[in-house]
């Protein structure tokens, strides 16, 4: 059951910029433990920038980012996975010249509990049976869908408390998209909080409990996902109606 008192992740009036151009213009959002929260919006709205700012890949020039109640604005991106905050970036960014198993090992590079890593690899293979079949294959030779599975599996090897997913369905066939979303819900049911940035607003809102709508770097609406799904303005702007 999600704790609705203290957010596991919170942004307060966060501003970030590319040079002099403000990409986020003071956004605030909360994510509670156990939720799937989605961020939807048009291209260029600031969705991916939000995730990169949370991870300090892009620095917030104003505002505060809290994870488990601790301000993390100045924590290096490489330190966050060991704290339980892990991102699957847009475009997957696996290691193409490493095998599937080697990619998964890289996801646990900071861990010292090697005895448990075999169990976690087995868990990844249960979620993604295709990866078991391809475990000795080079990452760069996998299909787009298999690379997305590998990117998610690699992130799960860090044992995340919060998983940030950036456009997991991008470039995938419709059948694979549904499979990826089913797996996201399964990962969430196993105790991982998920923040989902997704162009397919319909599927994202169906999977999530709550959603935020971004427009040009501002949060313009937030609500329970099922209410956003039936909102006529949202349906017209983002669901193609």
């Amino acid at each position: 059951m999600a704790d609705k008192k203290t957010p596991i992740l919170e942004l307060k009036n966060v501003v970030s910029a590319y040079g002099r151009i403000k990409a986020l213009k003071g956004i605030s959002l909360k994510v509670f433990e156990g939720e799937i929260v989605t961020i939807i919006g048009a291209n260029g709205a600031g969705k991916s920038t939000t995730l990169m700012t949370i991870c300090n890949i892009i620095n917030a020039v104003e505002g505060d980012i809290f994870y488990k109640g601790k301000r993390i604005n100045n924590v290096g991106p490489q330190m966050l996975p060991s704290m339980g905050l892990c991102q699957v970036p847009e475009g997957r960014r696996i290691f193409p010249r490493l095998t599937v198993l080697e990619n998964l090992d890289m996801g646990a590079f900071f861990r010292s509990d090697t005895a448990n890593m075999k169990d976690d690899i087995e868990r990844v293979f249960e979620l993604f049976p295709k990866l078991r079949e391809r475990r000795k294959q080079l990452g760069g030779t996998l299909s787009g869908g298999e690379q997305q599975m590998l990117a998610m599996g690699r992130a799960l090897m860090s044992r995340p408390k919060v998983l940030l997913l950036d456009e997991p369905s991008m470039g995938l066939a419709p059948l694979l998209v549904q499979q990826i979303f089913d797996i996201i819900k399964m990962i969430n049911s196993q105790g991982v909080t998920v923040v989902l940035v997704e162009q397919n607003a319909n599927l994202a809102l169906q999977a999530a409990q709550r959603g935020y709508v971004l427009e040009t770097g501002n949060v313009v609406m937030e609500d329970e996902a099922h209410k956003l799904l039936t909102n006529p303005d949202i349906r017209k702007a983002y669901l193609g109606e």
Side-chain angles (χ1 to χ4, degrees), residues 67 77-86 109-111 158-159:
Y67 171 65
Q78 73 281 4
M79 300 301 295
L80 293 173
S82 65
M83 295 168 63
L85 183 61
C86 193
F109 73 95
F110 62 86
R111 287 174 52 183
S158 71
R159 291 195 167 181

Side-chain angles (χ1 to χ4, degrees), residues 67 81 84-86 123 155-163 191-193:
Y67 171 65
L85 183 61
C86 193
R123 176 192 172 205
L156 289 175
M157 288 299 295
S158 71
R159 291 195 167 181
K161 298 291 184 190
V162 177
L163 186 63
V192 180
T193 303

Side-chain angles (χ1 to χ4, degrees), residues 202-216:
N202 196 22
L203 275 177
L205 290 170
Q206 287 180 43
Q209 283 84 48
R210 292 189 304 112
Y212 290 83
V213 183
L214 287 191
E215 285 182 11
T216 58

